[in-house]
């Protein structure tokens, strides 16, 4: 995997040069977009990258709705009808959902074709587009079907963030906090300080730092057997919270917001189980409440959330496993957590 990170020259210009090389001779390009990226991002990509001007594009619904096996099947059918061969390249232009879906489709088509991730959201740039995990949802459960299929290139172009509303930028801040929380305590403290004093802005060097941390972790453990699991901090709770919020009659939460709330749950457990200082939890709670509104759960809600958490793919031998913290920068993976303690944690969020 080659990663094009923010620098003095445009990432898209460097991608243009890379695609002009021999590695992509005779390749046909297909661009996967949703309605938002079709309108706001595709014109910029085509104007900056010559090989994209002759590409075919495929459009899917916005958000988690696209991560469905029926849509993947439609995309495979489109590739087949367009005579896409094993030298074809699928370019995923969008956020985490587009990268998840596109990577899955590329992994399955003709036993695997190359794909390029061009994330257009902050969540995608600092997390979802990097690492080679691809996934679809199954019923109401997140990321239950998938492959490990590394992208040929990840191109991080911060200019695409100009197309996002502030709420979606804040969504990615939680993934930045998570990455620094497990991989760079100094940057974590700096980011918390900027959020709390109102001086935070998304800087290219912070995006690049997150991408570097994740890339280094993935290189050590590409198939998620050990070290890479530290990146799941907050996700056992977060995926359940996200899926629960998308049930009929509830206010849907974005992935980043749900993970941010899940991180608070994990830190509450860490104070009780792994000795995380209370002051670390208190500081993060202050940061989290500045970025999002914490949900209030009833006992009945916790039963539904537990049911979703039991379906988490990281679980083993009937145990719900969580990533917790000893300290910022010192995560603990695969810790079994008693379900009654999980209920108490969810009930005490507010």
């Amino acid at each position: 995997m080659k990663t094009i990170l923010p620098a003095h020259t445009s990432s898209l210009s460097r991608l243009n040069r890379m695609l002009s090389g021999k590695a992509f001779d005779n390749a046909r390009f297909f661009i996967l977009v949703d309605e938002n990226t079709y309108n706001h991002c595709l014109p910029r990509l085509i104007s900056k990258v010559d090989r994209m001007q002759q590409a075919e594009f495929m459009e899917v619904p916005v958000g988690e709705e696209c991560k469905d096996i029926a849509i993947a099947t439609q995309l495979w059918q489109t590739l087949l009808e367009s005579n896409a061969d094993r030298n074809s390249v699928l370019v995923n232009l969008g956020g985490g959902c587009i990268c998840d879906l596109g990577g899955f489709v590329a992994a399955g088509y003709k036993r695997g074709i190359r794909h390029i991730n061009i994330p257009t959201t902050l969540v995608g740039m600092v997390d979802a587009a990097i690492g080679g995990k691809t996934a679809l949802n199954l019923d109401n459960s997140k990321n239950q079907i998938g492959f490990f299929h590394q992208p040929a290139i990840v191109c991080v172009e911060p200019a695409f963030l100009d197309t996002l509303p502030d709420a979606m930028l804040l969504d990615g801040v939680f993934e930045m906090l998570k990455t620094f929380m497990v991989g760079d305590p100094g940057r974590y403290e700096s980011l918390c300080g900027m959020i709390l004093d109102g001086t935070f802005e998304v800087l290219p060097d912070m995006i690049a730092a997150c991408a570097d941390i994740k890339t280094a972790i993935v290189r050590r453990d590409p198939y998620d057997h050990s070290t890479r699991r530290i990146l799941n901090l907050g996700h056992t709770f977060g995926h359940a919270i996200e899926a629960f919020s998308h049930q009929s009659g509830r206010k849907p939460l974005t992935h980043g917001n749900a993970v941010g709330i899940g991180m608070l749950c994990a830190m509450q457990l860490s104070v009780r189980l792994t000795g995380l200082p209370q002051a670390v939890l208190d500081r993060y709670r202050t940061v989290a409440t500045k970025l999002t509104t914490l949900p209030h759960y009833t006992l009945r809600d916790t039963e539904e959330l537990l049911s979703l958490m039991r379906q988490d793919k990281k679980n083993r031998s009937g145990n719900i496993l969580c990533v917790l913290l000893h300290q910022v920068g010192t995560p603990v993976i695969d810790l079994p957590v008693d379900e009654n303690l999980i209920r108490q944690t969810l009930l005490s969020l507010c």
Side-chain angles (χ1 to χ4, degrees):
M1 179 185 75
K2 296 181 180 178
T3 307
I4 303 173
L5 295 177
H8 296 298
T9 58
S10 163
S11 295
L12 290 180
S13 296
R14 283 177 284 149
L15 176 64
N16 186 47
R17 291 196 296 271
M18 193 174 290
L19 296 186
S20 300
K22 290 184 178 180
F24 294 92
D25 278 354
N26 303 315
R28 290 180 62 201
F29 290 86
F30 295 81
I31 307 174
L32 182 64
V33 294
D34 61 24
E35 182 180 356
N36 292 334
T37 56
Y38 173 79
N39 290 324
H40 302 296
C41 303
L42 185 60
R44 177 176 284 170
L45 176 64
I46 291 173
S47 70
K48 296 290 186 180
V49 183
D50 296 337
R51 295 296 299 272
M52 298 297 106
Q53 293 173 11
Q54 301 302 318
E56 299 180 39
F57 71 88
M58 304 181 290
E59 185 176 335
V60 296
V62 174
E64 290 287 328
E65 182 183 344
C66 78
K67 291 172 57 174
D68 184 274
I69 192 66
I71 289 178
T73 301
Q74 291 170 10
L75 294 174
W76 284 322
Q77 188 68 40
T78 299
L79 290 170
L80 190 64
E81 291 172 355
S82 299
N83 297 314
D85 58 22
R86 293 195 70 184
N87 197 39
S88 298
V89 181
L90 182 58
V91 179
N92 303 318
L93 182 67
C97 292
I98 289 289
C99 292
D100 278 352
L101 170 65
F104 183 93
V105 169
Y109 186 71
K110 294 187 182 291
R111 297 196 182 98
I113 62 173
R114 289 177 292 179
H115 67 294
I116 296 172
N117 285 339
I118 306 178
T120 59
T121 65
L122 187 56
V123 171
M125 292 179 186
V126 302
D127 185 68
I130 301 166
K133 282 186 177 179
T134 76
L136 302 182
N137 301 332
L138 185 62
D139 294 329
N140 198 36
S141 297
K142 286 269 295 183
N143 299 341
Q144 295 296 304
I145 311 169
F147 307 101
F148 287 97
H149 188 55
Q150 290 290 348
I153 301 170
V154 176
C155 178
V156 178
E157 176 53 83
F160 284 125
L161 297 179
D162 296 343
T163 67
L164 297 180
D166 288 344
M168 287 196 71
L169 285 174
L170 289 177
D171 198 41
V173 174
F174 280 117
E175 287 287 1
M176 296 179 75
L177 285 164
K178 177 211 72 178
T179 302
F180 292 146
M181 195 181 289
V182 300
D184 191 332
R187 284 187 182 272
Y188 170 74
E189 289 301 327
S190 176
L191 180 53
C192 285
M194 288 188 288
I195 292 168
L196 292 174
D197 65 20
T199 60
F200 171 74
E201 58 180 314
V202 180
L203 300 174
D205 70 308
M206 297 181 74
I207 296 173
C210 282
D212 281 338
I213 290 168
K214 182 164 186 182
T215 299
I217 292 170
V218 169
R219 284 196 183 119
R220 295 199 299 271
D221 180 23
Y223 296 108
D224 212 13
H225 293 311
S226 56
T227 308
R228 182 170 177 169
R229 294 179 189 173
I230 66 176
L231 296 169
N232 291 324
L233 178 67
H235 283 64
T236 301
F237 280 95
H239 282 165
I241 289 169
E242 182 182 0
F244 180 77
S245 77
H246 282 264
Q247 293 178 359
S248 178
R250 302 189 183 279
K251 182 180 179 181
L253 288 173
T254 58
H255 175 72
N257 269 263
V259 167
I261 296 165
M263 286 162 58
L264 180 58
C265 294
M267 294 176 79
Q268 288 181 197
L269 286 174
S270 297
V271 170
R272 299 185 64 169
L273 300 178
T274 60
L276 183 74
Q278 180 70 37
V280 176
L281 168 62
D282 292 343
R283 181 168 173 78
Y284 178 73
R285 179 186 289 274
T286 305
V287 170
T289 53
K290 194 172 180 70
L291 298 176
T292 191
T293 301
L294 299 180
H296 173 77
Y297 293 127
T298 66
L299 190 57
R300 178 178 292 180
D301 293 338
T302 67
E303 293 306 313
E304 292 190 48
L305 286 159
L306 268 169
S307 178
L308 291 166
M309 291 177 72
R310 293 185 193 110
Q311 298 167 12
D312 192 281
K313 59 187 179 296
K314 299 179 289 296
N315 294 339
R316 299 288 186 277
S317 304
N319 294 313
I320 295 176
L321 304 182
C322 292
V323 179
L324 303 183
L325 294 173
H326 277 308
Q327 292 277 359
V328 174
T330 313
V332 184
I333 64 171
D334 294 345
L335 195 68
V337 180
D338 179 78
E339 291 192 1
N340 283 329
L341 196 52
I342 291 172
R343 288 187 184 91
Q344 293 172 26
T345 301
L346 291 166
L347 289 169
S348 64
L349 263 176
C350 291

